[in-house]
Amino acid sequence: MNVKLRVLSAGVLFFIGHAVSAQKAKNDTIRGEIDEVVLTGSYGFRQTAEQVTGSSVKIGADKLVRPSAISIENALQGQVAGLMSTASSGQPGANSITLIRGLGSLTSGNNPLYILDGVPIPSGDVSGLLTSQNSLSLINPADIENIEVLKDGVATAVYGSRGANGVIVITTKTGKKGRSDLNFTSEIGSGEVAFEKFKMLNAEESTKLFGLSLFNAGQASTLQNGYNLAKSEYNWDGVSDYDWNRAVRRANPAFSRYNFNYSGGVENLLIFASLGYLQQEGVSRDSKFDRYNAALRADWKASDKLKMNMSVNLSRSVQTGATDGSSFSNPVFTGRLLSPTQSFYNANGTYNTKLYYINEEFNPIGIQNENLEKGTFNKVITSIGSDYQFLPHFRYTSNFGLDYTSGNELVYWNPDFGDGTFDGDTNGNGYLARQFNNYLTWNWYNFVHYNKVFADKHDVSISVGLEATRTEREYNSLSKQGFPAGTRLKYADVGANPTGAGGSADFRSLVGYVTRASYTFNKFLTFTGSFRRDGYSGFTGYNGNFWGAGLSFDFGKANILPGFFKSLKLRASYGENGNQAVGPYAKYDQYSYRAAYISSNAGYVSNVAPIDGLYWEKSDKSNIGLDFTFGKNGLIYGTVEVYKNNNTDQIFSVPNPPSTGFTSITKNIADSYSKGLEATLGFKVGNSEGLNWNTRFNYAYNDSKIKSLNGEANPTSIEGFKAFFPGHNPTEFYTRLWAGVDPKNGDPLWYTDDSKTATTNNSGLAKLSFTGKHALPTHIGSWYNELNYKNFKLSFLINYQGNYSVFDRWAFVYDSSGQYGYLNQLSSALHDSWTPDNPNASQPKYVYGGNKNANSASTRYLFDGDHIRLRNIEFGYRFTKDVLKIDRVKGIYVYARGVNLFTYAFDKNLYFDPESNSNAFTYTASNLGVYDQTQPNLRQYMLGISIDF
């Protein structure tokens, strides 16, 4: 087995190689070969592996071709120490939250910068009417050659004002010289809910609980009378039991994926081309995601001095799905709340729209069948680049690329029941809305590189360049009402009355001037530095200066390596990055044209105050890393890093004098930090019997705190039941402190403050307090294992997240202590609420209409999120050409794969998925850790086949 060992720019040691023959494998072939020239980032910089001073990790195609998620960033979960990626919903194609080394911004986006083949591409949610649409879900992971995650200051400094949250550089596949390969991969499977322990009441229990609430409220003289009254209210026949939750869900959501690609090349031309299709159904019956992909990449050696490359990635996705969150149209929400005494249909087969519910018309089965939420998104990413050596030691590189994403979204509500009924509205019933979104980003960079080695000891590299980026975003929408009763034609022409039309656009530009230099002495001592000056159209009179510097010392190359080490390298770096944080027009006094078509008083009104002097948020990053390998019969490899990110000049709203007409104004005034430790330890061994084993552990520790705000004496509450205050984690929950149940009378109890020295049964006297529990995990770990024996393969990935909490935003409805006694409730409400016979119950006395606001927001609904999850497991066998003896077939690999097969939650009271985040909130600090009635994540079982021709 011919194996190359490279120290990649991450400082994590990875192995790349090709198994020529399992029988030829020898342990002594495992050796360090670190003279290989590697490209880093996306600007064409060249350096040898021992020259790397920054912190980054490169993930190869073998970890991405069969990901455990639709979107590429989720495929990185568990592969990179310090990176956390978690979905905001189980809706296929939904947005994700991805963090590198914690939060980089308190009130703005925390997404890393994504670069694909030199083109910065948008990430995050690009939907307008849908609950969520992840821009990155339009990219096919099977077309990617590798992904490099840049984490520290010196690795990201060349990206300047966009690098504060880290950078993820994506390189698509290229053809292989002298080969002509075809591959077809097909994968099918089905799934179920990965983790869900909601235990709701059946029809009999629901009626008993309703009756108990009426008795405890004094509206029934006995429990039996309360039961009879509840039965009458429900109009229940005493026998039927309708499982609404099951009726609105698919039992086994299906999955299928098909990819066909060609890779080949002749002397001067390399070609890669692919076609792909993926379909994933969600848990909700109306939830589905379809993606169509095509890719083409060509690399042309025009001459000994000139190289050209071109890539095109085309994709189209169609997403249908249910509304997430607390909307009555959300089948996950309504399916839990409707009493199982209520029938799905009337006797004549029509939908039952006289339900005993918050709103009687919202039959979730009918809404799934008759309403529609659909989004169609198209994406084009294309780039063309050149590399020209115009003098012996000078190269010129240029790359022009663009990303174009368009969205066409439709929401339709039928005119007969649900959201589409507008009582007394002169525009009539039924509703249709469309929104058209267009995102265009073009990027052009030009660099001159100088590389020369003097006296075989002094390796000097200098790069100077210019980058220009422009982004254009446009939104247009329309809506109509007045659809005839009984119609289900989902076109605007069917509606009689236009009710709205709108549109907006924004344009932003960025110009960066970049200088980078590297010096290496005798291959063991390297200094690197870079400087970037950015100008952004959103700021007036401010140019951002960002820089980074790094040092590495390779003990092996210096011939002072301790005896049992095979390699040992020390790295240190410091850098300053930025985050734009605001849109392009924050510096202007912004106006809107009010009531233009319905009011004689129409006119422009100021709605946003100008922000004078606003500039970039900054992140000062320091990092120290140690990379090593040692071993005799196998190879032990790893890295240890410590880091600290000081996030200064962060955007924050401060009070403004009322005389200005605006209650607050935004300034660069907040500071926070994120510090931690990351470690990777792996073992790789191979022998002549065809056994190859590679196992790797990743661990990351993160401590994040707010340092200063505006000098305010009180915490600043934010969405997600959290607050900002110096000395506290930016995702710390801030709410009332639950003290349990008074055993004497069943009253709810809260602590009066965070000292927890006194309790009260009056929620108004319970002060909002910091809980000491936060949504950002302190510990993230993973264990990746791959075992190959002859033609068999077994691999798995286990993830761990620890010391974090999750909050159920809507438990106050179905764990309401009687506030919503007519809705279905958690079983504990009936079986463990306070009664004179059960004074030590966990739930307060269940009283119709509520028990002293027992269901007000508090730590009652806060749970530990710590968990271990078997993220991915695969078992497969490869049939070789010698065994198959099929013309033109080089090999067939068949496999079985499981995703999210097992989840262990440390909190035994946790009943929803510990990887929960809200779709409703606007930035990461508030979204994180809030369960918001989104569709649950899936456990999946898949069979696949990959055929090489």
Side-chain angles (χ1 to χ4, degrees):
M1 182 175 65
N2 180 22
V3 180
K4 288 182 179 179
L5 168 64
R6 289 196 300 164
V7 182
L8 295 177
S9 58
V12 179
L13 302 172
F14 283 88
F15 301 86
I16 59 172
H18 177 69
V20 178
S21 170
Q23 284 70 31
K24 295 180 181 179
K26 301 291 183 181
N27 289 338
D28 59 5
T29 62
I30 301 176
R31 61 186 185 274
E33 296 180 8
I34 58 176
D35 292 331
E36 180 180 354
V37 173
V38 294
L39 298 179
T40 61
S42 61
Y43 299 126
F45 303 137
R46 288 181 179 177
Q47 61 184 351
T48 57
E50 75 267 14
Q51 293 175 323
V52 173
T53 62
S55 175
S56 61
V57 177
K58 185 172 286 187
I59 305 300
D62 59 323
K63 305 298 188 300
L64 303 169
V65 68
R66 286 182 289 276
S68 58
I70 290 174
S71 190
I72 55 175
E73 74 274 30
N74 290 142
L76 297 175
Q77 179 73 4
Q79 302 287 354
V80 179
L83 182 146
M84 184 188 78
S85 183
T86 177
S88 58
S89 171
Q91 162 72 39
N95 193 30
S96 297
I97 294 175
T98 300
L99 303 176
I100 297 176
R101 294 183 168 179
L103 297 181
S105 177
L106 295 178
T107 61
S108 186
N110 282 275
N111 278 347
L113 170 67
Y114 290 85
I115 307 286
L116 190 148
D117 288 343
V119 184
I121 58 176
S123 61
D125 189 3
V126 292
S127 69
L129 296 178
L130 300 184
T131 300
S132 174
Q133 169 65 53
N134 185 354
S135 174
L136 297 175
S137 67
L138 287 132
I139 299 172
N140 185 4
D143 293 335
I144 297 173
E145 180 67 28
N146 59 66
I147 296 178
E148 189 174 9
V149 180
L150 312 180
K151 299 189 285 187
D152 73 331
V154 72
T156 60
V158 292
Y159 298 95
S161 62
R162 301 171 296 172
N165 297 321
V167 181
I168 295 179
V169 181
I170 304 167
T171 303
T172 58
K173 290 180 177 179
T174 63
K176 305 301 180 184
K177 184 177 179 180
R179 299 173 58 180
S180 182
D181 298 326
L182 291 171
N183 175 267
F184 173 75
T185 298
S186 175
E187 195 172 65
I188 59 173
S190 65
E192 59 188 1
V193 175
F195 184 94
E196 191 174 66
K197 295 185 177 181
F198 279 89
K199 190 175 181 181
M200 309 301 289
L201 301 174
N202 61 30
E204 176 69 21
E205 292 171 325
S206 177
T207 308
K208 285 183 177 179
L209 183 63
F210 192 5
L212 174 64
S213 72
L214 296 171
F215 171 70
N216 286 337
Q219 297 186 28
S221 57
T222 65
L223 279 174
Q224 184 60 45
N225 287 341
Y227 176 82
N228 293 337
L229 180 57
K231 185 176 178 180
S232 174
E233 284 289 314
Y234 281 147
N235 193 26
W236 182 46
D237 60 12
V239 177
S240 301
D241 195 340
Y242 300 94
D243 190 338
W244 286 91
N245 198 50
R246 184 175 181 180
V248 299
R249 297 185 176 201
R250 290 189 178 99
N252 300 109
F255 171 87
S256 59
R257 180 174 71 95
Y258 308 92
N259 279 294
F260 179 80
N261 66 63
Y262 167 79
S263 175
V266 292
E267 184 65 24
N268 296 318
L269 181 63
L270 305 178
I271 296 290
F272 175 84
S274 74
L275 294 171
Y277 171 71
L278 176 145
Q279 183 182 89
Q280 171 70 72
E281 295 179 339
V283 170
S284 178
R285 287 192 303 108
D286 54 346
S287 171
K288 190 171 69 168
F289 178 84
D290 292 88
R291 182 180 68 207
Y292 309 83
N293 290 93
L296 174 65
R297 174 163 177 155
D299 294 83
W300 177 42
K301 184 179 179 182
S303 69
D304 291 339
K305 294 183 177 182
L306 177 62
K307 298 177 182 177
M308 303 287 292
N309 63 78
M310 179 276 294
S311 67
V312 179
N313 287 268
L314 308 174
S315 62
R316 179 183 179 92
S317 73
V318 181
Q319 181 192 134
T320 57
T323 302
D324 277 339
S326 62
S327 168
F328 299 149
S329 295
N330 177 5
V332 173
F333 187 57
T334 302
R336 290 195 180 113
L337 296 181
L338 276 168
S339 171
T341 62
Q342 308 292 289
S343 62
F344 306 150
Y345 301 96
N346 298 316
N348 62 1
T350 59
Y351 300 115
N352 182 2
T353 56
K354 299 295 182 181
L355 298 164
Y356 207 97
Y357 185 49
I358 300 174
N359 190 314
E360 64 178 9
E361 292 185 350
F362 280 79
N363 184 315
I365 297 173
I367 288 171
Q368 285 180 316
N369 293 343
E370 310 300 337
N371 292 359
L372 179 64
E373 292 192 18
K374 179 180 179 180
T376 301
F377 294 84
N378 300 303
K379 190 178 197 63
V380 179
I381 307 173
T382 184
S383 67
I384 183 169
S386 63
D387 187 313
Y388 179 63
Q389 185 166 349
F390 58 93
L391 288 174
H393 303 288
F394 287 88
R395 289 185 304 118
Y396 167 72
T397 59
S398 179
N399 192 89
F400 179 82
L402 63 84
D403 177 295
Y404 176 73
T405 304
S406 67
N408 181 351
E409 300 172 75
L410 167 70
V411 168
Y412 170 79
W413 298 338
N414 80 83
D416 300 316
F417 58 89
D419 283 311
T421 57
F422 302 92
D423 295 336
D425 192 323
T426 57
N427 288 313
N429 290 332
Y431 175 81
L432 182 144
R434 275 198 180 275
Q435 180 162 317
F436 304 92
N437 313 316
N438 292 285
Y439 306 83
L440 174 65
T441 297
W442 65 256
N443 180 263
W444 190 17
Y445 68 74
N446 294 271
F447 276 81
V448 174
H449 309 278
Y450 172 78
N451 298 87
K452 184 174 175 60
V453 179
F454 298 89
D456 293 328
K457 288 186 177 182
H458 307 281
D459 191 336
V460 177
S461 299
I462 301 173
S463 299
V464 179
L466 169 69
E467 181 179 27
T469 303
R470 180 173 174 84
T471 300
E472 303 175 4
R473 304 178 182 180
E474 183 179 4
Y475 312 86
N476 291 285
S477 62
L478 62 89
S479 61
K480 294 187 78 172
Q481 289 178 216
F483 288 76
T487 62
R488 298 295 185 267
L489 296 175
K490 304 173 181 63
Y491 303 101
D493 283 350
V494 181
N497 300 309
T499 56
S504 64
D506 67 60
F507 308 89
R508 60 192 78 195
S509 300
L510 178 75
V511 177
Y513 304 88
V514 185
T515 300
R516 179 185 181 275
S518 174
Y519 168 73
T520 300
F521 174 72
N522 207 18
K523 297 187 178 182
F524 68 83
L525 179 64
T526 297
F527 299 90
T528 60
S530 63
F531 176 81
R532 177 164 178 149
R533 183 174 177 84
D534 275 348
Y536 172 51
S537 61
F539 300 145
T540 302
Y542 288 94
N543 290 302
N545 298 321
F546 309 97
W547 61 276
L551 167 70
S552 70
F553 188 91
D554 192 310
F555 291 88
K557 291 291 185 179
N559 296 318
I560 55 175
L561 194 65
F564 61 96
F565 280 100
K566 289 191 174 182
S567 69
L568 183 66
K569 186 172 78 169
L570 180 67
R571 295 174 288 105
S573 68
Y574 179 84
E576 294 184 357
N577 306 126
N579 184 18
Q580 292 174 9
V582 296
Y585 307 124
K587 63 184 180 182
Y588 299 114
D589 190 0
Q590 297 178 46
Y591 292 84
S592 63
Y593 198 69
R594 180 177 60 189
Y597 63 93
I598 60 173
S599 171
S600 60
N601 297 319
Y604 286 101
V605 294
S606 177
N607 61 352
V608 178
I611 305 174
D612 185 33
L614 201 65
Y615 51 91
W616 282 279
E617 296 183 341
K618 295 181 181 178
S619 182
D620 305 334
K621 302 175 185 291
S622 55
N623 188 88
I624 298 175
L626 182 69
D627 313 319
F628 58 86
T629 64
F630 60 87
K632 292 183 178 180
N633 297 324
L635 195 68
I636 298 175
Y637 60 96
T639 186
V640 178
E641 295 188 90
V642 292
Y643 68 89
K644 185 172 183 179
N645 300 340
N646 285 311
N647 306 311
T648 61
D649 297 330
Q650 293 197 57
I651 302 297
F652 197 72
S653 295
V654 298
N656 205 41
S659 59
T660 65
F662 302 96
T663 58
S664 64
I665 191 168
T666 302
K667 293 184 177 181
N668 294 89
I669 204 166
D671 294 339
S672 66
Y673 71 80
S674 178
K675 64 181 180 180
L677 176 146
E678 295 169 357
T680 295
L681 181 64
F683 176 72
K684 186 178 179 72
V685 65
N687 63 30
S688 60
E689 302 300 321
L691 175 67
N692 293 278
W693 179 37
N694 184 14
T695 188
R696 184 178 71 249
F697 297 90
N698 286 331
Y699 169 75
Y701 166 83
N702 178 269
D703 174 34
S704 297
K705 292 288 191 300
I706 296 173
K707 294 171 64 177
S708 63
L709 294 174
N710 188 38
E712 296 182 11
N714 297 312
T716 302
S717 296
I718 64 170
E719 291 181 306
F721 308 95
K722 306 183 183 81
F724 292 149
F725 199 64
H728 291 269
N729 188 291
T731 66
E732 185 171 350
F733 290 97
Y734 181 73
T735 185
R736 300 174 186 87
L737 303 179
W738 179 250
V741 180
D742 189 335
K744 298 189 297 293
N745 55 18
D747 281 355
L749 295 176
W750 299 268
Y751 292 108
T752 55
D753 55 38
D754 55 11
S755 68
K756 297 185 178 182
T757 55
T759 61
T760 178
N761 66 353
N762 185 339
S763 63
L765 299 178
K767 291 178 61 177
L768 297 176
S769 301
F770 282 106
T771 63
K773 297 180 179 295
H774 47 82
L776 182 66
T778 302
H779 310 283
I780 298 178
S782 66
W783 177 24
Y784 174 75
N785 195 82
E786 182 175 325
L787 182 67
N788 290 277
Y789 178 68
K790 295 184 178 179
N791 294 331
F792 289 95
K793 175 184 176 181
L794 174 65
S795 66
F796 62 79
L797 175 64
I798 296 175
N799 290 343
Y800 163 74
Q801 292 184 7
N803 191 32
Y804 80 106
S805 297
V806 287
F807 189 87
D808 188 350
R809 187 185 183 197
W810 298 103
F812 76 93
V813 177
Y814 46 77
D815 192 11
S816 68
S817 297
Q819 182 75 42
Y820 298 95
Y822 54 92
L823 301 179
N824 204 9
Q825 302 284 302
L826 295 176
S827 63
S828 56
L830 177 64
H831 300 294
D832 198 23
S833 62
W834 185 94
T835 65
D837 297 329
N838 186 22
N840 297 315
S842 64
Q843 302 287 320
K845 184 178 180 180
Y846 198 83
V847 182
Y848 184 78
N851 183 353
K852 295 182 171 61
N853 292 322
N855 63 334
S856 57
S858 74
T859 54
R860 174 183 178 182
Y861 305 128
L862 188 63
F863 304 88
D864 290 337
D866 302 32
H867 70 279
I868 297 173
R869 173 162 272 170
L870 178 57
R871 177 75 63 179
N872 211 328
I873 185 169
E874 181 178 320
F875 178 73
Y877 182 83
R878 181 171 182 82
F879 296 90
T880 62
K881 182 178 181 179
D882 294 340
V883 174
L884 293 170
K885 296 180 180 179
I886 302 175
D887 287 344
R888 299 181 182 177
V889 176
K890 298 176 182 178
I892 297 177
Y893 177 64
V894 294
Y895 59 93
R897 186 162 67 93
V899 177
N900 294 336
L901 291 188
F902 172 76
T903 303
Y904 176 80
F906 290 82
D907 189 339
K908 300 305 178 185
N909 295 317
L910 181 65
Y911 47 83
F912 55 91
D913 197 301
E915 292 188 70
S916 293
N917 302 291
S918 173
N919 264 329
F921 302 143
T922 54
Y923 53 91
T924 311
S926 58
N927 298 58
L928 205 62
V930 179
Y931 176 63
D932 205 12
Q933 291 299 307
T934 54
Q935 290 186 60
N937 291 317
L938 291 176
R939 175 189 296 122
Q940 294 176 287
Y941 309 90
M942 302 176 186
L943 295 174
I945 183 170
S946 180
I947 307 174
D948 294 316
F949 299 93

